[in-house]
Amino acid sequence: MSAIVVKTLPMVIMAIILGFVIGELCHLYDYVHKFFSMVLNKLPFHMDGNHEEYMTLYLLVVLMFSMSGMGLFGALTEGMSGDSSVLMSKAVLDFFTAILFGAALGYAQGLICIPQFIIMMICYFLAQAILPYINDIMIADFKACGGVITMITGLTVSKILNVKAMNLVPALILVMPFVGIYMMVV
């Protein structure tokens, strides 16, 4: 699990807490929910059962596929070094996960590849720009932050937690600067 590689735990926790607060204050979940609900309603997909439960599961799966620690780290790694082994491993895992969620989400799950592609390409191209400013500790903590978000998403899917996990996404933006500042101070 990527949360095990954490190097500066206080900064990862602070990024997750502040990221969640920012997500809540900006109503990130609500905007993403509204956007995907609008897209799915315009397309000829049949949604069984309660629309709100379907959308909640759909957004959790979007988050799990598009913003997992392994995927973001893999895209950054390929952008920095050209090593695609992490992304290949994620593709194999995603294949089997997609089969499981496909039973619940139907054809609409096929749309998840669009935000996943966009987010992975942004990370890939951003990798070269941030490479001079980051180090191994920042990458490890970024990966750990993504792992914690993936774990929270999994606990929410299994209904152990009731969290709007999409609101945790700003933590991924905050974690590297927090670790960088912490390393300059300490």
Side-chain angles (χ1 to χ4, degrees):
M1 173 179 211
S2 17
I4 296 172
V5 299
V6 68
K7 302 292 184 201
T8 57
L9 183 61
M11 295 300 102
V12 173
I13 291 171
M14 189 166 70
I16 290 171
I17 291 170
L18 286 176
F20 186 73
V21 168
I22 291 169
E24 282 285 321
L25 291 175
C26 294
H27 304 284
L28 182 63
Y29 175 85
D30 297 330
Y31 288 124
V32 173
H33 181 281
K34 198 178 298 182
F35 173 76
F36 277 103
S37 186
M38 180 186 68
V39 169
L40 291 178
N41 285 333
K42 295 223 184 270
L43 297 171
F45 294 120
H46 177 69
M47 295 179 218
D48 291 331
N50 184 343
H51 179 74
E52 189 59 37
E53 285 181 19
Y54 182 90
M55 286 308 300
T56 300
L57 179 62
Y58 191 82
L59 291 179
L60 288 169
V61 174
V62 167
L63 181 65
M64 196 178 310
F65 278 79
S66 302
M67 292 170 240
S68 69
M70 186 176 189
L72 296 175
F73 174 72
L76 286 172
T77 301
E78 182 159 358
M80 291 177 192
S81 67
D83 179 17
S84 63
S85 61
V86 176
L87 284 178
M88 293 299 171
S89 300
K90 180 178 174 29
V92 170
L93 293 172
D94 281 355
F95 174 75
F96 293 107
T97 307
I99 292 170
L100 295 173
F101 284 116
L105 297 174
Y107 293 114
Q109 182 175 338
L111 292 177
I112 293 174
C113 68
I114 296 168
Q116 183 180 27
F117 175 77
I118 292 168
I119 290 167
M120 297 297 169
M121 291 308 292
I122 288 170
C123 287
Y124 175 79
F125 289 116
L126 186 64
Q128 286 296 316
I130 65 172
L131 184 60
Y133 306 105
I134 62 173
N135 57 38
D136 292 340
I137 295 172
M138 294 168 103
I139 292 172
D141 286 349
F142 177 81
K143 188 176 175 185
C145 184
V148 169
I149 291 172
T150 303
M151 183 176 63
I152 291 170
T153 303
L155 292 171
T156 305
V157 167
S158 60
K159 298 186 179 180
I160 295 171
L161 287 177
N162 186 13
V163 176
K164 293 179 179 176
M166 188 64 70
N167 287 333
L168 291 164
V169 171
L172 294 169
I173 297 168
L174 297 175
V175 71
M176 280 194 192
F178 284 3
V179 172
I181 292 168
Y182 178 79
M183 290 172 51
M184 285 191 299
V185 172
V186 173

